[in-house]
Amino acid sequence: MHTRTLGRTGPAVSALGLGLMGMSDLYGPADETESVATIHAALDSGVTLLDTGDFYGMGHNEMLLRDALRGRNRDKAVISVKFGALRGPDGAWLGNDSRPEAVKTFLAYSLRRLGTDHIDVYRPARLDPAVPVEDQVGALAELVRAGYIRHIGLSEVGAGTLRRAAAVHPISDLQIEYSLLSRGIEADILPAARELGIGVTAYGVLSRGLLSGHWTPSRELTAGDFRGHSPRFQGENLEHNLALTDALGKLAAGKGVTTAQLAIGWVAAQGADIVPLVGARTRARLAESLGADLALTPADLAEIEAAVPAGAASGDRYAAALLDHLDSEK
């Protein structure tokens, strides 16, 4: 597995990261035994970047990762944790809390759930609008100096916020959605990150399954799968988006790869400062993602962008009720 560095100041990580959210939350039921086996398979394949959040399954995801790392060399994994999203016992989204005292409390609980004495990259899931970003990053900087976290990351913020944050403390990476169907970062955010030496960990590289090549219009979703309320998965939007996937699939077949591999490979080809995160929940899906190490030529990239042009997706990323909590860069 090739490696990439998260920005100018961050750690070296595998060129592909594993996002663990779907193993605990938001995508319907997952098999815990298979989830642990998938994490093991990722580690054995050279994947070092493991991304979780303290609110994924209300702590379940962190404890799942703890169990998966038991008996393994902790220092071989780069653990990235998002914090601060508030949720009720029914799973409802209640806002974000990044007060300095809350940051320290969230971290203490995460360290206990993960069974580790430090977290490699720690980041607010979304910025708390009631707390200046300078204060949020300042609190995280104290935790870096104390040795509890190694690097500070951010998630779903704009170019101006990146600049304000980086003026307080080096930021290793920005975690943000980026795929053929979600290219909003290209105009301002990605150039700012590069100017500041901040890497990008790109989630949603398969647009939550739309670009996987495995989605069908007749697929039935469980009550716990938020895609059942996502505009991109509804009616004519879904038909339009799957037509784009079909076009991508034809290109992929011509190159002897899968649709998912070409979609992931396109994200990775956008720069050595970008690390795609894949949300594989099974060993089979992980194995497919690991095959996305493609040498795409400028001609290949031009063909891909002709098949799925920028701005071609139909429908918002999230349902209106979730926009304020999950889509800071609407």
Side-chain angles (χ1 to χ4, degrees):
M1 172 73 68
H2 300 299
T3 61
R4 295 185 172 188
T5 302
L6 296 185
R8 283 199 290 259
T9 63
V13 300
S14 50
L16 187 75
L18 181 62
L20 308 184
M21 181 184 75
M23 297 178 179
S24 299
D25 211 356
L26 296 174
Y27 285 94
D31 181 271
E32 192 163 308
T33 300
E34 179 62 21
S35 295
V36 170
T38 301
I39 296 171
H40 286 168
L43 292 167
D44 292 341
S45 299
V47 174
T48 60
L49 180 59
L50 303 174
D51 182 76
T52 183
D54 63 8
F55 54 95
Y56 293 167
M58 287 67 165
H60 175 269
N61 206 241
E62 291 179 316
M63 292 187 287
L64 178 74
L65 180 54
R66 175 200 62 201
D67 293 345
L69 291 176
R70 186 172 288 124
R72 298 271 176 155
N73 184 343
R74 160 67 181 89
D75 292 333
K76 295 291 186 180
V78 177
I79 299 176
S80 169
V81 178
K82 291 180 290 298
F83 71 89
L86 304 177
R87 300 183 68 182
D90 60 351
W93 300 93
L94 305 175
N96 299 281
D97 189 352
S98 291
R99 292 170 299 138
E101 58 269 33
V103 172
K104 295 174 183 178
T105 300
F106 289 134
L107 175 65
Y109 290 173
S110 285
L111 291 172
R112 178 62 64 90
R113 285 189 293 261
L114 288 164
T116 184
D117 63 356
H118 73 278
I119 290 171
D120 298 289
V121 186
Y122 199 53
R123 72 184 83 241
R126 299 294 187 274
L127 290 182
D128 180 349
V131 181
V133 66
E134 291 84 357
D135 292 349
Q136 297 179 49
V137 174
L140 291 167
E142 289 183 23
L143 296 171
V144 171
R145 290 191 290 270
Y148 294 116
I149 63 178
R150 299 290 190 259
H151 304 279
I152 299 172
L154 292 173
S155 177
E156 288 283 350
V157 303
T161 301
L162 279 180
R163 291 190 174 92
R164 290 170 56 196
V168 177
H169 189 278
I171 305 298
S172 66
D173 66 304
L174 170 66
Q175 190 172 120
I176 197 161
E177 185 167 356
Y178 189 35
S179 73
L180 279 164
L181 295 183
S182 297
R183 297 179 62 174
I185 73 170
E186 292 178 341
D188 299 311
I189 298 172
L190 185 54
R194 286 173 168 162
E195 170 195 330
L196 297 164
I198 297 172
V200 170
T201 41
Y203 74 87
V205 293
L206 296 180
S207 290
R208 300 175 175 83
L210 280 175
L211 291 172
S212 68
H214 304 298
W215 200 274
T216 62
S218 60
R219 179 169 174 173
E220 294 185 4
L221 299 174
T222 64
D225 194 322
F226 88 99
R227 290 172 294 188
H229 305 285
S230 172
R232 289 189 178 176
F233 289 82
Q234 308 303 313
E236 294 181 356
N237 288 343
L238 179 60
E239 293 179 12
H240 173 87
N241 294 329
L242 288 181
L244 295 173
T245 300
D246 288 343
L248 184 67
K250 291 175 182 176
L251 284 180
K255 300 179 188 304
V257 299
T258 70
T259 307
Q261 288 168 343
L262 195 58
I264 298 167
W266 178 87
V267 174
Q270 300 313 299
D273 53 350
I274 297 174
V275 177
L277 294 172
V278 296
R281 298 196 292 170
T282 66
R283 284 167 285 181
R285 291 288 182 260
L286 172 68
E288 181 180 23
S289 297
L290 291 173
D293 184 13
L294 310 177
L296 296 175
T297 67
D300 292 331
L301 295 173
E303 283 186 325
I304 293 168
E305 297 205 21
V308 188
S314 182
D316 291 330
R317 293 197 288 160
Y318 298 107
L322 288 176
L323 282 175
D324 289 338
H325 300 299
L326 298 180
D327 195 357
S328 300
E329 294 300 324
K330 307 180 189 64

mmCIF file of all heavy atoms in Angstrom, residues 146-185:
data_model
loop_
_atom_site.group_PDB
_atom_site.id
_atom_site.type_symbol
_atom_site.label_atom_id
_atom_site.label_comp_id
_atom_site.label_asym_id
_atom_site.label_seq_id
_atom_site.Cartn_x
_atom_site.Cartn_y
_atom_site.Cartn_z
ATOM 1 N N ALA A 146 -0.344 18.525 25.620
ATOM 2 C CA ALA A 146 -0.429 17.576 26.742
ATOM 3 C C ALA A 146 -0.193 16.135 26.291
ATOM 4 O O ALA A 146 -0.070 15.242 27.133
ATOM 5 C CB ALA A 146 -1.800 17.687 27.412
ATOM 6 N N GLY A 147 -0.128 15.901 24.975
ATOM 7 C CA GLY A 147 0.167 14.574 24.468
ATOM 8 C C GLY A 147 -1.034 13.681 24.252
ATOM 9 O O GLY A 147 -0.869 12.510 23.870
ATOM 10 N N TYR A 148 -2.239 14.206 24.459
ATOM 11 C CA TYR A 148 -3.434 13.373 24.298
ATOM 12 C C TYR A 148 -3.845 13.210 22.838
ATOM 13 O O TYR A 148 -4.474 12.217 22.473
ATOM 14 C CB TYR A 148 -4.606 13.966 25.073
ATOM 15 C CG TYR A 148 -4.411 13.958 26.560
ATOM 16 C CD1 TYR A 148 -4.340 15.140 27.290
ATOM 17 C CD2 TYR A 148 -4.302 12.746 27.252
ATOM 18 C CE1 TYR A 148 -4.171 15.135 28.665
ATOM 19 C CE2 TYR A 148 -4.120 12.723 28.630
ATOM 20 C CZ TYR A 148 -4.057 13.922 29.332
ATOM 21 O OH TYR A 148 -3.880 13.907 30.692
ATOM 22 N N ILE A 149 -3.525 14.201 22.013
ATOM 23 C CA ILE A 149 -3.763 14.079 20.579
ATOM 24 C C ILE A 149 -2.475 14.477 19.863
ATOM 25 O O ILE A 149 -1.667 15.252 20.377
ATOM 26 C CB ILE A 149 -4.956 14.929 20.094
ATOM 27 C CG1 ILE A 149 -4.715 16.422 20.304
ATOM 28 C CG2 ILE A 149 -6.234 14.508 20.795
ATOM 29 C CD1 ILE A 149 -5.849 17.296 19.789
ATOM 30 N N ARG A 150 -2.289 13.916 18.668
ATOM 31 C CA ARG A 150 -1.062 14.192 17.913
ATOM 32 C C ARG A 150 -1.252 15.327 16.899
ATOM 33 O O ARG A 150 -0.346 16.118 16.674
ATOM 34 C CB ARG A 150 -0.604 12.930 17.182
ATOM 35 C CG ARG A 150 -0.266 11.754 18.102
ATOM 36 C CD ARG A 150 0.997 12.030 18.887
ATOM 37 N NE ARG A 150 1.446 10.826 19.594
ATOM 38 C CZ ARG A 150 1.256 10.598 20.877
ATOM 39 N NH1 ARG A 150 0.597 11.495 21.609
ATOM 40 N NH2 ARG A 150 1.697 9.489 21.449
ATOM 41 N N HIS A 151 -2.420 15.367 16.263
ATOM 42 C CA HIS A 151 -2.655 16.339 15.200
ATOM 43 C C HIS A 151 -4.094 16.833 15.274
ATOM 44 O O HIS A 151 -4.992 16.131 15.754
ATOM 45 C CB HIS A 151 -2.404 15.718 13.825
ATOM 46 C CG HIS A 151 -1.039 15.141 13.668
ATOM 47 N ND1 HIS A 151 0.069 15.901 13.366
ATOM 48 C CD2 HIS A 151 -0.598 13.855 13.804
ATOM 49 C CE1 HIS A 151 1.127 15.119 13.303
ATOM 50 N NE2 HIS A 151 0.766 13.881 13.572
ATOM 51 N N ILE A 152 -4.307 18.042 14.757
ATOM 52 C CA ILE A 152 -5.633 18.653 14.720
ATOM 53 C C ILE A 152 -6.148 18.627 13.291
ATOM 54 O O ILE A 152 -5.460 19.040 12.356
ATOM 55 C CB ILE A 152 -5.583 20.110 15.225
ATOM 56 C CG1 ILE A 152 -5.098 20.161 16.667
ATOM 57 C CG2 ILE A 152 -6.954 20.778 15.092
ATOM 58 C CD1 ILE A 152 -4.837 21.575 17.178
ATOM 59 N N GLY A 153 -7.369 18.148 13.146
ATOM 60 C CA GLY A 153 -8.028 18.170 11.849
ATOM 61 C C GLY A 153 -9.306 18.978 11.928
ATOM 62 O O GLY A 153 -9.759 19.364 13.006
ATOM 63 N N LEU A 154 -9.886 19.253 10.786
ATOM 64 C CA LEU A 154 -11.187 19.919 10.710
ATOM 65 C C LEU A 154 -12.085 19.109 9.793
ATOM 66 O O LEU A 154 -11.628 18.199 9.090
ATOM 67 C CB LEU A 154 -11.038 21.354 10.202
ATOM 68 C CG LEU A 154 -10.327 22.335 11.138
ATOM 69 C CD1 LEU A 154 -10.104 23.665 10.444
ATOM 70 C CD2 LEU A 154 -11.127 22.532 12.432
ATOM 71 N N SER A 155 -13.365 19.455 9.794
ATOM 72 C CA SER A 155 -14.327 18.728 8.968
ATOM 73 C C SER A 155 -15.389 19.685 8.443
ATOM 74 O O SER A 155 -15.961 20.469 9.208
ATOM 75 C CB SER A 155 -14.989 17.611 9.796
ATOM 76 O OG SER A 155 -15.978 16.939 9.041
ATOM 77 N N GLU A 156 -15.628 19.629 7.134
ATOM 78 C CA GLU A 156 -16.711 20.387 6.497
ATOM 79 C C GLU A 156 -16.700 21.877 6.856
ATOM 80 O O GLU A 156 -17.689 22.418 7.343
ATOM 81 C CB GLU A 156 -18.066 19.763 6.858
ATOM 82 C CG GLU A 156 -18.338 18.436 6.183
ATOM 83 C CD GLU A 156 -18.752 18.563 4.728
ATOM 84 O OE1 GLU A 156 -19.026 19.688 4.268
ATOM 85 O OE2 GLU A 156 -18.786 17.520 4.041
ATOM 86 N N VAL A 157 -15.581 22.536 6.625
ATOM 87 C CA VAL A 157 -15.514 23.983 6.841
ATOM 88 C C VAL A 157 -15.071 24.659 5.555
ATOM 89 O O VAL A 157 -14.528 24.027 4.645
ATOM 90 C CB VAL A 157 -14.560 24.364 7.993
ATOM 91 C CG1 VAL A 157 -14.971 23.676 9.287
ATOM 92 C CG2 VAL A 157 -13.109 24.020 7.638
ATOM 93 N N GLY A 158 -15.295 25.967 5.482
ATOM 94 C CA GLY A 158 -14.950 26.735 4.307
ATOM 95 C C GLY A 158 -13.535 27.279 4.331
ATOM 96 O O GLY A 158 -12.784 27.129 5.304
ATOM 97 N N ALA A 159 -13.155 27.951 3.242
ATOM 98 C CA ALA A 159 -11.799 28.457 3.072
ATOM 99 C C ALA A 159 -11.433 29.477 4.149
ATOM 100 O O ALA A 159 -10.324 29.450 4.695
ATOM 101 C CB ALA A 159 -11.642 29.066 1.680
ATOM 102 N N GLY A 160 -12.356 30.393 4.467
ATOM 103 C CA GLY A 160 -12.063 31.403 5.474
ATOM 104 C C GLY A 160 -11.815 30.790 6.837
ATOM 105 O O GLY A 160 -10.909 31.218 7.571
ATOM 106 N N THR A 161 -12.600 29.777 7.185
ATOM 107 C CA THR A 161 -12.419 29.103 8.470
ATOM 108 C C THR A 161 -11.088 28.369 8.513
ATOM 109 O O THR A 161 -10.404 28.357 9.547
ATOM 110 C CB THR A 161 -13.575 28.128 8.724
ATOM 111 O OG1 THR A 161 -14.812 28.847 8.713
ATOM 112 C CG2 THR A 161 -13.422 27.427 10.060
ATOM 113 N N LEU A 162 -10.709 27.765 7.409
ATOM 114 C CA LEU A 162 -9.401 27.096 7.355
ATOM 115 C C LEU A 162 -8.277 28.074 7.668
ATOM 116 O O LEU A 162 -7.363 27.758 8.436
ATOM 117 C CB LEU A 162 -9.175 26.493 5.971
ATOM 118 C CG LEU A 162 -9.809 25.147 5.636
ATOM 119 C CD1 LEU A 162 -9.453 24.749 4.206
ATOM 120 C CD2 LEU A 162 -9.361 24.066 6.611
ATOM 121 N N ARG A 163 -8.355 29.252 7.089
ATOM 122 C CA ARG A 163 -7.293 30.242 7.306
ATOM 123 C C ARG A 163 -7.256 30.700 8.766
ATOM 124 O O ARG A 163 -6.182 30.848 9.351
ATOM 125 C CB ARG A 163 -7.490 31.430 6.358
ATOM 126 C CG ARG A 163 -7.233 31.087 4.904
ATOM 127 C CD ARG A 163 -7.208 32.329 4.018
ATOM 128 N NE ARG A 163 -6.828 31.972 2.658
ATOM 129 C CZ ARG A 163 -7.688 31.675 1.696
ATOM 130 N NH1 ARG A 163 -8.990 31.718 1.944
ATOM 131 N NH2 ARG A 163 -7.263 31.359 0.491
ATOM 132 N N ARG A 164 -8.417 30.942 9.353
ATOM 133 C CA ARG A 164 -8.459 31.372 10.751
ATOM 134 C C ARG A 164 -7.922 30.286 11.671
ATOM 135 O O ARG A 164 -7.175 30.559 12.617
ATOM 136 C CB ARG A 164 -9.897 31.736 11.138
ATOM 137 C CG ARG A 164 -10.429 33.001 10.482
ATOM 138 C CD ARG A 164 -11.919 33.152 10.716
ATOM 139 N NE ARG A 164 -12.260 33.140 12.135
ATOM 140 C CZ ARG A 164 -13.491 32.957 12.602
ATOM 141 N NH1 ARG A 164 -14.511 32.759 11.749
ATOM 142 N NH2 ARG A 164 -13.717 32.972 13.906
ATOM 143 N N ALA A 165 -8.289 29.044 11.393
ATOM 144 C CA ALA A 165 -7.834 27.932 12.234
ATOM 145 C C ALA A 165 -6.331 27.739 12.121
ATOM 146 O O ALA A 165 -5.629 27.569 13.123
ATOM 147 C CB ALA A 165 -8.570 26.657 11.831
ATOM 148 N N ALA A 166 -5.815 27.784 10.888
ATOM 149 C CA ALA A 166 -4.390 27.549 10.674
ATOM 150 C C ALA A 166 -3.525 28.645 11.279
ATOM 151 O O ALA A 166 -2.342 28.416 11.560
ATOM 152 C CB ALA A 166 -4.109 27.426 9.181
ATOM 153 N N ALA A 167 -4.101 29.813 11.506
ATOM 154 C CA ALA A 167 -3.350 30.898 12.146
ATOM 155 C C ALA A 167 -3.117 30.628 13.629
ATOM 156 O O ALA A 167 -2.232 31.226 14.245
ATOM 157 C CB ALA A 167 -4.089 32.222 11.967
ATOM 158 N N VAL A 168 -3.907 29.712 14.204
ATOM 159 C CA VAL A 168 -3.774 29.381 15.627
ATOM 160 C C VAL A 168 -2.842 28.197 15.833
ATOM 161 O O VAL A 168 -2.000 28.195 16.739
ATOM 162 C CB VAL A 168 -5.161 29.071 16.228
ATOM 163 C CG1 VAL A 168 -5.041 28.639 17.691
ATOM 164 C CG2 VAL A 168 -6.084 30.273 16.099
ATOM 165 N N HIS A 169 -2.985 27.177 14.987
ATOM 166 C CA HIS A 169 -2.201 25.953 15.132
ATOM 167 C C HIS A 169 -2.205 25.225 13.792
ATOM 168 O O HIS A 169 -3.196 25.282 13.063
ATOM 169 C CB HIS A 169 -2.796 25.050 16.226
ATOM 170 C CG HIS A 169 -1.939 23.879 16.580
ATOM 171 N ND1 HIS A 169 -1.923 22.714 15.841
ATOM 172 C CD2 HIS A 169 -1.064 23.682 17.601
ATOM 173 C CE1 HIS A 169 -1.075 21.858 16.404
ATOM 174 N NE2 HIS A 169 -0.544 22.422 17.461
ATOM 175 N N PRO A 170 -1.130 24.519 13.446
ATOM 176 C CA PRO A 170 -1.133 23.754 12.198
ATOM 177 C C PRO A 170 -2.296 22.761 12.144
ATOM 178 O O PRO A 170 -2.590 22.074 13.128
ATOM 179 C CB PRO A 170 0.215 23.030 12.229
ATOM 180 C CG PRO A 170 1.088 23.891 13.075
ATOM 181 C CD PRO A 170 0.185 24.460 14.132
ATOM 182 N N ILE A 171 -2.932 22.689 10.997
ATOM 183 C CA ILE A 171 -4.039 21.765 10.755
ATOM 184 C C ILE A 171 -3.533 20.685 9.806
ATOM 185 O O ILE A 171 -3.009 20.987 8.733
ATOM 186 C CB ILE A 171 -5.247 22.502 10.130
ATOM 187 C CG1 ILE A 171 -5.675 23.682 11.002
ATOM 188 C CG2 ILE A 171 -6.390 21.528 9.895
ATOM 189 C CD1 ILE A 171 -6.137 23.309 12.398
ATOM 190 N N SER A 172 -3.692 19.439 10.196
ATOM 191 C CA SER A 172 -3.161 18.356 9.370
ATOM 192 C C SER A 172 -4.001 18.144 8.124
ATOM 193 O O SER A 172 -3.474 18.035 7.008
ATOM 194 C CB SER A 172 -3.076 17.054 10.173
ATOM 195 O OG SER A 172 -4.372 16.595 10.532
ATOM 196 N N ASP A 173 -5.326 18.081 8.302
ATOM 197 C CA ASP A 173 -6.169 17.763 7.153
ATOM 198 C C ASP A 173 -7.592 18.241 7.374
ATOM 199 O O ASP A 173 -8.051 18.439 8.501
ATOM 200 C CB ASP A 173 -6.172 16.258 6.881
ATOM 201 C CG ASP A 173 -6.836 15.467 7.998
ATOM 202 O OD1 ASP A 173 -6.397 15.594 9.154
ATOM 203 O OD2 ASP A 173 -7.802 14.738 7.729
ATOM 204 N N LEU A 174 -8.261 18.427 6.272
ATOM 205 C CA LEU A 174 -9.685 18.751 6.247
ATOM 206 C C LEU A 174 -10.430 17.525 5.755
ATOM 207 O O LEU A 174 -10.158 17.028 4.657
ATOM 208 C CB LEU A 174 -9.947 19.923 5.310
ATOM 209 C CG LEU A 174 -11.428 20.215 5.003
ATOM 210 C CD1 LEU A 174 -12.161 20.684 6.250
ATOM 211 C CD2 LEU A 174 -11.551 21.223 3.872
ATOM 212 N N GLN A 175 -11.347 17.035 6.550
ATOM 213 C CA GLN A 175 -12.190 15.937 6.106
ATOM 214 C C GLN A 175 -13.470 16.528 5.508
ATOM 215 O O GLN A 175 -14.156 17.319 6.158
ATOM 216 C CB GLN A 175 -12.528 15.000 7.266
ATOM 217 C CG GLN A 175 -13.202 13.723 6.803
ATOM 218 C CD GLN A 175 -13.361 12.713 7.928
ATOM 219 O OE1 GLN A 175 -14.463 12.318 8.253
ATOM 220 N NE2 GLN A 175 -12.259 12.308 8.533
ATOM 221 N N ILE A 176 -13.757 16.166 4.271
ATOM 222 C CA ILE A 176 -14.868 16.789 3.568
ATOM 223 C C ILE A 176 -15.306 15.873 2.434
ATOM 224 O O ILE A 176 -14.517 15.074 1.910
ATOM 225 C CB ILE A 176 -14.449 18.177 3.033
ATOM 226 C CG1 ILE A 176 -15.664 19.025 2.669
ATOM 227 C CG2 ILE A 176 -13.463 18.067 1.881
ATOM 228 C CD1 ILE A 176 -15.371 20.514 2.581
ATOM 229 N N GLU A 177 -16.575 15.968 2.069
ATOM 230 C CA GLU A 177 -17.082 15.120 0.993
ATOM 231 C C GLU A 177 -16.506 15.567 -0.348
ATOM 232 O O GLU A 177 -16.484 16.750 -0.678
ATOM 233 C CB GLU A 177 -18.612 15.163 0.946
ATOM 234 C CG GLU A 177 -19.185 14.203 -0.085
ATOM 235 C CD GLU A 177 -20.685 13.991 0.045
ATOM 236 O OE1 GLU A 177 -21.285 14.532 0.997
ATOM 237 O OE2 GLU A 177 -21.238 13.274 -0.806
ATOM 238 N N TYR A 178 -16.059 14.578 -1.121
ATOM 239 C CA TYR A 178 -15.508 14.864 -2.441
ATOM 240 C C TYR A 178 -15.654 13.621 -3.311
ATOM 241 O O TYR A 178 -15.171 12.544 -2.969
ATOM 242 C CB TYR A 178 -14.034 15.263 -2.325
ATOM 243 C CG TYR A 178 -13.414 15.786 -3.606
ATOM 244 C CD1 TYR A 178 -14.141 16.556 -4.514
ATOM 245 C CD2 TYR A 178 -12.084 15.512 -3.912
ATOM 246 C CE1 TYR A 178 -13.554 17.052 -5.670
ATOM 247 C CE2 TYR A 178 -11.485 16.006 -5.059
ATOM 248 C CZ TYR A 178 -12.235 16.770 -5.943
ATOM 249 O OH TYR A 178 -11.661 17.258 -7.091
ATOM 250 N N SER A 179 -16.343 13.769 -4.396
ATOM 251 C CA SER A 179 -16.534 12.668 -5.336
ATOM 252 C C SER A 179 -16.904 13.256 -6.682
ATOM 253 O O SER A 179 -17.072 14.469 -6.832
ATOM 254 C CB SER A 179 -17.663 11.741 -4.850
ATOM 255 O OG SER A 179 -18.932 12.365 -5.030
ATOM 256 N N LEU A 180 -17.079 12.407 -7.659
ATOM 257 C CA LEU A 180 -17.524 12.861 -8.971
ATOM 258 C C LEU A 180 -18.878 13.555 -8.902
ATOM 259 O O LEU A 180 -19.180 14.428 -9.724
ATOM 260 C CB LEU A 180 -17.590 11.677 -9.941
ATOM 261 C CG LEU A 180 -16.260 11.266 -10.570
ATOM 262 C CD1 LEU A 180 -16.378 9.872 -11.177
ATOM 263 C CD2 LEU A 180 -15.823 12.279 -11.607
ATOM 264 N N LEU A 181 -19.685 13.193 -7.918
ATOM 265 C CA LEU A 181 -21.011 13.800 -7.779
ATOM 266 C C LEU A 181 -21.040 14.938 -6.770
ATOM 267 O O LEU A 181 -22.065 15.608 -6.642
ATOM 268 C CB LEU A 181 -22.047 12.736 -7.381
ATOM 269 C CG LEU A 181 -22.328 11.637 -8.412
ATOM 270 C CD1 LEU A 181 -23.434 10.708 -7.910
ATOM 271 C CD2 LEU A 181 -22.696 12.215 -9.767
ATOM 272 N N SER A 182 -19.956 15.157 -6.044
ATOM 273 C CA SER A 182 -19.899 16.228 -5.031
ATOM 274 C C SER A 182 -18.554 16.940 -5.160
ATOM 275 O O SER A 182 -17.567 16.532 -4.553
ATOM 276 C CB SER A 182 -20.060 15.659 -3.616
ATOM 277 O OG SER A 182 -21.322 15.068 -3.451
ATOM 278 N N ARG A 183 -18.538 18.009 -5.951
ATOM 279 C CA ARG A 183 -17.271 18.666 -6.281
ATOM 280 C C ARG A 183 -17.216 20.114 -5.794
ATOM 281 O O ARG A 183 -16.444 20.927 -6.300
ATOM 282 C CB ARG A 183 -17.040 18.581 -7.792
ATOM 283 C CG ARG A 183 -16.910 17.135 -8.259
ATOM 284 C CD ARG A 183 -16.716 17.015 -9.748
ATOM 285 N NE ARG A 183 -15.491 17.670 -10.199
ATOM 286 C CZ ARG A 183 -15.056 17.597 -11.466
ATOM 287 N NH1 ARG A 183 -15.746 16.916 -12.363
ATOM 288 N NH2 ARG A 183 -13.940 18.227 -11.811
ATOM 289 N N GLY A 184 -18.027 20.409 -4.783
ATOM 290 C CA GLY A 184 -18.115 21.779 -4.304
ATOM 291 C C GLY A 184 -16.834 22.332 -3.718
ATOM 292 O O GLY A 184 -16.675 23.547 -3.614
ATOM 293 N N ILE A 185 -15.884 21.475 -3.344
ATOM 294 C CA ILE A 185 -14.648 21.976 -2.714
ATOM 295 C C ILE A 185 -13.678 22.561 -3.727
ATOM 296 O O ILE A 185 -12.724 23.243 -3.354
ATOM 297 C CB ILE A 185 -13.942 20.882 -1.888
ATOM 298 C CG1 ILE A 185 -13.263 19.850 -2.790
ATOM 299 C CG2 ILE A 185 -14.899 20.227 -0.922
ATOM 300 C CD1 ILE A 185 -12.352 18.895 -2.034
#
